[in-house]
């Protein structure tokens, strides 16, 4: 009998035995971990060893990604990862040439327009089959577009492309006819995956069907999506009958790394072949690593300073609380004259960006525009002070006084998720303080709410530009403003300028590429002159890949461009595996196997030891 | 304090000696004890239900302040027309008045429907259920290990209070507790995944599996991927259990019943294991239950660093959009798990210590 004080009751026997069980389980689990950390030097894959092969000799290209797949349905997918994967699984009507982004054939081989610009006739290729062997025809394309036009749920992701369509027909398997309500210059930039009618016509609710339950997914792109696990991996196999020729790798895997440093470690180890969105520090570290090539190329984004132009809805109602001082062109000019773009490029982007000029980045050579010397607002702090003085602004006690006699204090909205924003904000604070202007830097996780409500003075703005610039131009038209302050806007910065709008309408109906490019440049010039957008930089695409896994890969533009997030499938389709006899995946799995076996042995040993210790108590100990 | 009387003992009471027996006061006392316990259980159950309802209501309004227009925020940076925005709002019921959204939410939640995720276009319940196994596996194993390790080391430290081992154990535990988990995780990745100097990189840098194994190979693959995140969670988590166990055992160590046990000639080891530790367990059990409640939430930072596809990572993903239905659903699940674990701890107390609940 065990003596215990009535004041301190003992644990019931059953509970005690359960406690021992818990301790035993803990010991076993600890043994597992302990066993696993025993170093297996010779068995471990050497760091930085190529892993582009598995035990079957397969050549696998592994891409590190972090963004979640929102959907694998082309009708719903909006995230870059999803649309990039869908680009590999399905063909679009047309594609963009990797050299200079001009239109090249895709699902369609040729196209023509009617004299009134309202009818487009596409010739559909006859050498493309769906991955289940069925011939791909114009009927598939017609069904895809008609579904988007008739079912709002099917227009969730790409409805803007078909909003101007009047009628779509397929008079024969090789002909697709699209009739428009009004001319549309973007008809050769319809980024809409064409899906197989015989598969998709069975779908009943397009708002809920994510196309992620049945594999392989039937498509006719260069790859076939064969497997997917949310936030773990997406696996693709080459489409051997792809009309342009099959990809050279045996498998393309997108593997999830939610932490960028972990992704870089995986690249260094050789677990992945490619990593994108590197920070300057990561790029610098990887440049000196064997078998890794850093691709630091002109990007497709612009990084700009936007000022609130006095946000209004279409019905004329004022929105938000933007500082009225910014409606004065002299104030905006003085602010921009005080921005030292070179410092931003050197110190913030650490050289991984090009100096900002016009609205569209220089890689899109057809549309790139830059201000003339007389038009350009140069960096000149002395001139900035002079500009303000000439406009009638006075200083008092080091503070610039507004027209209302009060010190001028502004706010800038920026993204807390982007370290560059905060750094730029600090510089602006310093530079504008010299003018006597105060600046509060508001870096938020969710900039959307204040931005869309017009509750900001200035904001750090940025967009990725597509080969066809229509969308990034459209977000500065009066049409993009919300109907009323309660409605959600499509506008980026509440700009509404009649001259700009007239040019936008002209370019939207201009089918001649050269004439359209000229109109776009005029728009950029007008946007620059209004002084509501000041492009500071074009950040580079900084990414890296293992040269012992990837021998060659096509960038876009080919001369100097990005690999990840291209307007097309060129990078992964063109990638050539490096000659490597390594069999690291196998090595990795054998290491895992040995570790596992040893772990099991140690667990058994640990449990045995535990039981022996429990039974060690002698008769005299038992009461 | 126990009030149970010893059967057969004659006690003085008003009105003369009373013989106790099955139908005497003891029985009545036993019956009273049962009633008291049942009342105690009913009170705790009612409290849990009220708390759960409060969580449900709070979650709806709390996350409405994150974003005034989650659809526009979600589609920012993506070419989207006004018509597409309207379709999305209609799909998710955001075009309804707030009161109607609330009543729909409460009604659906009672039937187990937590809504549809904005970003994944899938039922929230399904998304959460898919992630539960990964989280339970990782944090479950970690909690099991660090609870056992903390109990064991805490017991040793208290028993040899002030010794070199005690100082080393508590010092090391406190140091590890102070280290941010994500930083330690990254350090482990650099040393044991990539490899450093003579140390080979033998563990995967992230994920739950390589995706190319099946059967027992898959089990080993997952175990291989688990090692570093588990070590990280254990390293930063065991100190709590160690310190609670240590202090509660130190409280017990001066007790008379231990002196009695030693006087009987019992081995020091037995005195500790059979007498001192069971009585010092109560505060530690509370904390272990709370930790088990936290298991459901996973570990956002560690799951993110190791790309472990669990609920913690899902919560991070949901907040970054913000995906309101998913955030709400996860909030309800996390809070529900804590409420359930607290309830279980409350119900277990009277079994561990009969004085509780009377």
């Amino acid at each position: 009998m065990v003596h215990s004080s009535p004041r301190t009751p003992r644990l019931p026997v059953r509970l005690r035995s359960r406690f021992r069980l818990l301790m035993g389980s803990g010991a076993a689990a600890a043994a597992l971990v302990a066993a696993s950390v025993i170093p297996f030097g010779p068995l471990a894959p050497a760091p930085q060893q190529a892993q582009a092969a598995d035990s079957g000799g397969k050549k696998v290209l592994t891409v590190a990604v972090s963004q979640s797949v929102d959907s694998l349905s082309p009708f719903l997918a909006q995230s870059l990862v999803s649309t990039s994967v869908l680009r590999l699984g399905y063909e679009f009507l047309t594609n963009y040439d990797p050299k200079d982004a001009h239109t090249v054939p895709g699902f369609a081989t040729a196209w023509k327009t009617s004299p009134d610009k309202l009818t487009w006739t596409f010739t559909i290729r006859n050498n493309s089959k769906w991955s289940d062997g069925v011939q791909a025809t114009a009927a598939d394309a017609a069904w895809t577009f008609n579904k988007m036009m008739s079912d709002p749920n099917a227009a969730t992701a790409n409805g803007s492309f078909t909003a101007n369509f009047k009628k779509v027909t397929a008079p024969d398997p090789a002909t697709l006819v699209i009739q428009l309500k009004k001319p549309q210059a973007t008809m050769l930039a319809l980024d809409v995956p064409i899906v197989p009618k015989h598969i998709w016509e069975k779908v009943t609710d397009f708002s809920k069907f994510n196309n992620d339950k049945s594999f392989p997914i039937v498509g006719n792109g260069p790859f076939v999506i064969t497997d997917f696990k949310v936030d773990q991996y997406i696996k693709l196999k080459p489409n051997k009958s792809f009309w342009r020729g099959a990809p050279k790798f045996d498998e393309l895997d997108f593997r999830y790394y939610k932490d960028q440093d972990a992704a870089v470690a995986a690249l260094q180890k050789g677990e992945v072949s490619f990593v994108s969105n590197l920070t300057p520090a990561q790029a610098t570290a990887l440049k000196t690593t064997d078998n890794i090539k850093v691709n630091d190329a002109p990007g497709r984004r612009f990084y700009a300073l936007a000022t609130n132009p006095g946000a209004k809805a279409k019905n004329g109602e004022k929105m938000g609380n933007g500082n009225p001082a910014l409606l004065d062109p002299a104030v905006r000019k003085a602010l921009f004259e005080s921005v030292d773009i070179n410092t931003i490029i050197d110190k913030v982007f650490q050289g991984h960006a090009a100096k900002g000029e016009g609205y569209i980045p220089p890689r899109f050579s057809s549309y790139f525009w830059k201000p003339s010397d007389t038009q350009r607002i140069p960096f000149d702090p002395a001139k900035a002070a002079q500009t303000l003085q000439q406009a009638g602004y006075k200083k008092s006690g080091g503070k610039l006084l507004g027209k209302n006699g009060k010190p001028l204090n502004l706010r800038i909205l920026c993204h807390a998720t982007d370290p560059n924003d905060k750094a730029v904000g600090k510089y602006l604070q310093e530079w504008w303080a010299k003018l006597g202007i105060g600046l509060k830097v508001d870096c938020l996780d969710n900039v959307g709410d204040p931005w869309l409500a017009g509750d900001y003075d200035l904001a750090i703005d940025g967009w990725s530009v597509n080969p066809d610039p229509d969308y990034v131009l459209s977000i500065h038209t009066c049409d993009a403003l919300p109907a009323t302050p309660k409605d959600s806007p499509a506008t980026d910065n509440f700009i509404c300028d009649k001259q700009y709008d007239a040019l936008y309408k002209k370019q939207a109906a201009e089918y001649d590429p050269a004439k359209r490019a000229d109109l776009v440049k005029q728009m950029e010039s007008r946007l620059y002159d209004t002084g509501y957008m000041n492009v500071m930089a074009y950040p580079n695409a900084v990414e890296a890949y293992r040269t012992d896994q990837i021998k060659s890969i096509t960038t876009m533009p080919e001369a100097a461009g990005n690999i990840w997030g291209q307007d097309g499938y060129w990078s992964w389709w063109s990638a050539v595996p490096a000659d490597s006899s390594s069999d690291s995946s196998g090595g990795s799995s054998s290491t895992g196997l040995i570790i596992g076996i040893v772990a099991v042995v140690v667990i058994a040993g640990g449990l045995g030891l535990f039981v022996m210790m429990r039974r060690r108590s002698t008769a005299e100990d038992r009461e | 304090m126990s009030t149970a009387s010893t059967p057969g003992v004659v006690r003085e009471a008003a009105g003369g000696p009373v013989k106790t027996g099955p139908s005497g006061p003891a029985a009545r006392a036993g019956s009273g004890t049962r009633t008291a316990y049942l009342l105690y259980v009913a009170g705790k159950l009612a409290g849990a239900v009220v708390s759960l309802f409060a969580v449900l209501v709070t979650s709806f309004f709390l996350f409405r302040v994150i974003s005034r227009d989650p659809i526009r925020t979600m589609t920012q940076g993506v070419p989207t027309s006004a018509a597409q925005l309207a379709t999305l709002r209609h799909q998710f019921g955001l075009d309804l008045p707030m009161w109607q959204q609330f009543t729909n939410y409460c009604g659906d939640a009672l039937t187990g429907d937590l809504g549809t995720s904005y970003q994944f276009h899938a039922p929230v319940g399904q998304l959460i259920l898919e992630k539960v196994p990964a989280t339970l596996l990782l944090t479950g194993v970690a909690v099991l290990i660090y609870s056992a390790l903390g109990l064991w080391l805490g017991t040793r430290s208290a028993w040899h209070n002030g010794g070199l081992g005690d100082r080393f154990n508590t010092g090391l535990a406190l140091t590890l507790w102070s280290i941010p988990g994500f930083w330690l995780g990254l350090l482990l990745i650099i040393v044991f995944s990539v490899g450093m100097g003579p140390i080979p990189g033998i563990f995967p840098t992230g994920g739950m599996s390589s995706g190319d194994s099946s059967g027992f190979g898959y089990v080993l693959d997952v175990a291989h991927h688990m090692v570093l995140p588990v070590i990280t969670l254990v390293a930063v988590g065991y100190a709590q259990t160690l310190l609670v166990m240590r202090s509660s055992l130190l409280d017990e160590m001066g007790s008379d019943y231990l002196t009695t046990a030693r006087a009987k000639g019992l081995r020091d080891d037995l005195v500790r294991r059979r007498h001192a530790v069971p009585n010092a367990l109560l505060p530690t059990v509370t904390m272990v239950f709370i930790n088990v409640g936290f298991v459901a939430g996973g570990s956002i930072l560690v799951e993110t660093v190791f790309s472990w596809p669990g609920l913690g990572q899902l919560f991070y993903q949901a907040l970054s959009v913000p995906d309101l239905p998913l955030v709400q659903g996860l909030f309800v699940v996390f809070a529900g798990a804590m409420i359930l674990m607290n309830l279980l701890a409350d119900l277990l107390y009277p079994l561990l210590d009969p004085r509780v609940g009377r």
Side-chain angles (χ1 to χ4, degrees), chain B:
Chain B
M1 184 177 161
S2 180
T3 56
S5 38
T6 315
V9 172
V10 176
R11 294 191 311 175
E12 287 290 326
V18 177
K19 196 174 186 180
T20 58
S23 58
R28 283 197 295 277
S31 159
T33 306
R34 269 197 302 276
T35 309
Y37 181 68
L38 287 173
L39 281 171
Y40 170 81
V41 169
K44 293 294 175 189
L45 281 170
V49 170
V50 169
S51 301
L52 206 55
F53 183 72
V55 162
L56 208 62
V57 174
T58 308
S59 69
F60 180 84
F61 292 104
L62 182 67
F63 297 112
R64 284 294 181 285
V65 303
I66 292 179
S67 179
R68 279 180 290 197
D69 187 357
I71 296 300
R72 194 66 188 91
T73 307
M74 189 176 84
T75 54
Q76 206 165 31
V78 179
T80 320
S81 66
Q84 286 167 278
L85 292 173
T87 302
L88 279 165
R89 278 194 203 92
H90 180 70
Q91 273 178 18
F92 298 114
L94 290 167
D95 51 350
L96 298 170
M98 187 65 81
W99 66 267
Q100 206 172 335
Q101 287 183 47
F102 177 66
T103 51
N104 288 353
Y105 168 72
C106 287
D108 291 344
L110 289 174
T111 60
D113 179 3
L114 293 171
T116 303
S117 156
Y118 295 161
Q119 60 177 327
F120 296 110
H121 301 274
V124 167
Q126 177 198 313
L127 287 166
I128 291 173
L129 279 175
E130 281 171 1
K131 302 280 186 179
V132 165
T135 281
L136 287 185
L137 183 67
L138 179 69
T139 33
V141 167
V143 166
L144 197 70
I145 293 173
Y146 74 60
S147 298
L149 191 69
L151 286 172
W152 182 63
L153 289 175
T155 305
R156 298 268 155 182
S157 287
W159 208 250
H160 304 289
N161 182 30
L164 186 66
D166 174 34
R167 290 204 303 272
F168 175 77
N169 274 337
T170 48
L172 179 67
L174 284 170
T175 305
L176 289 170
W177 198 14
S178 313
I179 292 175
F182 71 91
W183 183 80
L184 181 65
L186 278 172
L187 218 60
L188 290 176
I189 287 172
I190 291 164
V191 176
F192 296 108
S193 285
V194 181
M196 187 178 265
I199 304 167
I202 56 168
F203 294 110
T205 47
M208 187 173 163
S209 70
S210 304
D212 53 4
S213 52
S214 56
F216 185 62
Y218 176 74
V219 174
L220 292 180
D221 189 27
V222 172
H224 192 201
H225 281 77
M226 269 176 71
V227 174
L228 293 186
V230 164
I231 289 174
T232 306
L233 286 170
V234 168
V236 298
Y238 83 97
Q240 220 181 348
T241 320
L242 182 149
L243 294 172
V244 172
M245 188 64 201
R246 182 178 175 274
S247 68
S248 58
L249 190 56
L250 283 174
D251 287 347
E252 293 293 331
M253 275 169 63
S255 304
D256 293 343
Y257 70 93
L258 291 186
T259 311
T260 308
R262 285 195 183 95
K264 280 163 46 186
L266 292 180
R267 267 205 341 250
D268 193 50
D269 174 46
L270 280 174
V271 173
R272 187 184 73 237
R273 281 192 295 110
R274 292 197 178 175
H275 295 266
V277 169
N279 288 307
L281 265 180
L282 202 64
T284 320
V285 165
T286 311
M287 215 196 56
V288 167
F289 269 101
I290 288 170
N291 283 337
V292 171
F294 277 121
V295 165
S299 170
I300 294 175
L301 291 173
V302 172
E303 283 188 13
T304 302
V305 166
F306 288 100
S307 310
W308 190 267
L311 289 175
Q313 198 190 87
L314 187 68
F315 195 49
Y316 169 80
Q317 190 70 36
L319 278 171
S320 62
V321 171
D323 188 339
L324 288 189
L326 192 51
V327 172
Q328 281 168 192
L330 286 163
F331 181 76
V332 169
V333 167
F334 295 165
M338 289 305 297
I339 290 167
L340 181 69
M341 284 303 141
N342 273 310
L343 176 69
L344 286 178
D346 284 344
L347 297 182
L348 192 69
Y349 284 162
L351 302 177
L352 294 175
D353 185 349
R355 292 168 298 180
V356 177
R358 291 188 184 177

Side-chain angles (χ1 to χ4, degrees), chain A residues 191 194 268 320 323 389 418 422 427 436 458 470 505 511 608 615:
Chain A
D191 291 340
I194 306 299
Q268 287 172 313
N323 195 315
Q389 203 180 1
D418 188 344
K422 208 162 193 171
Y427 275 114
L458 296 115
D470 182 80
K505 283 191 177 80
Y511 287 4
R615 295 185 61 85

Side-chain angles (χ1 to χ4, degrees), chain A residues 341-613:
Chain A
I341 288 176
N342 287 331
T343 296
I344 287 173
I345 301 290
D346 295 341
K347 303 292 183 189
V348 178
F349 289 96
Q350 294 178 39
H352 299 283
K355 194 174 172 181
E357 295 273 14
Y359 187 62
I360 292 172
R363 65 180 280 171
F364 301 107
S365 52
S366 317
Y367 298 111
F368 177 64
W369 168 91
K370 59 182 181 184
S372 62
D373 289 345
T374 53
Q375 192 181 11
R376 180 178 281 111
I377 300 171
F379 168 61
D380 192 342
K383 198 174 171 215
Q386 205 180 351
T387 303
L388 289 168
Q389 203 180 1
Q390 285 169 353
Y393 290 89
K394 291 186 172 65
K395 267 189 171 184
S396 169
K399 303 275 185 191
L400 189 81
L401 302 179
K403 296 285 184 186
N404 57 3
K406 290 179 182 171
L408 184 56
N409 289 305
L410 302 172
R411 302 158 297 165
I412 188 162
L413 197 58
C414 49
H415 306 79
T417 48
D418 188 344
N420 291 341
D421 282 19
K422 208 162 193 171
V424 168
K426 290 283 176 198
Y427 275 114
L428 295 177
Q429 240 173 357
E430 188 185 314
W431 294 330
W432 293 347
K434 288 173 184 170
L435 296 174
I437 298 171
L439 181 70
K440 183 172 178 273
V441 181
D442 282 329
C443 282
L444 308 174
D445 283 319
N446 174 22
V447 297
D449 280 345
W451 197 314
L452 298 169
D455 292 336
Y456 66 98
D457 299 333
L458 296 115
I460 290 178
D461 197 359
W463 283 86
S464 280
V465 179
N466 290 327
D468 190 298
D470 182 80
Y471 181 76
V472 288
L473 296 170
S474 75
I475 57 180
H476 297 304
T477 60
C478 301
D479 228 20
L481 295 176
T484 70
K486 285 182 181 176
D487 290 305
S488 187
T491 185
D492 176 53
N493 192 34
F494 294 95
I495 292 170
C496 178
D497 179 71
K498 284 190 169 65
Q499 201 177 323
Y500 178 91
D501 272 22
L503 289 166
Y504 176 78
K505 283 191 177 80
K506 271 188 191 172
Q507 70 80 35
E510 182 52 71
Y511 287 4
D512 182 275
K515 286 180 183 171
R516 184 176 175 220
D518 184 56
L519 286 165
V520 169
K521 286 174 184 175
Q522 287 179 51
M523 291 173 73
E524 292 180 78
S525 175
R526 176 61 192 161
L527 196 61
Y528 189 88
D529 289 341
T530 60
Y532 293 118
M533 291 283 289
N534 180 268
V535 177
M536 296 184 284
Y538 306 114
N540 285 2
V542 190
E543 44 202 16
Y545 64 90
R546 293 197 65 93
T547 52
D548 54 1
Q549 295 185 28
I550 301 171
K551 187 178 177 181
S552 66
I553 191 162
T554 301
T555 61
M556 187 175 181
E558 248 176 21
N562 54 303
I563 294 170
W564 170 249
Q566 291 183 357
D567 298 290
Y569 39 63
W570 310 111
S571 52
W572 313 125
W573 170 75
S574 69
V576 177
D579 298 324
S580 166
S581 56
S582 70
D583 193 5
S584 51
S585 295
S588 176
S589 51
S590 69
T591 304
L593 187 71
I594 290 162
I595 285 173
I597 290 165
V598 174
V600 170
V601 170
V602 174
I603 289 168
L607 280 171
L609 190 69
F610 184 76
V611 171
M612 274 174 63
M613 283 173 70

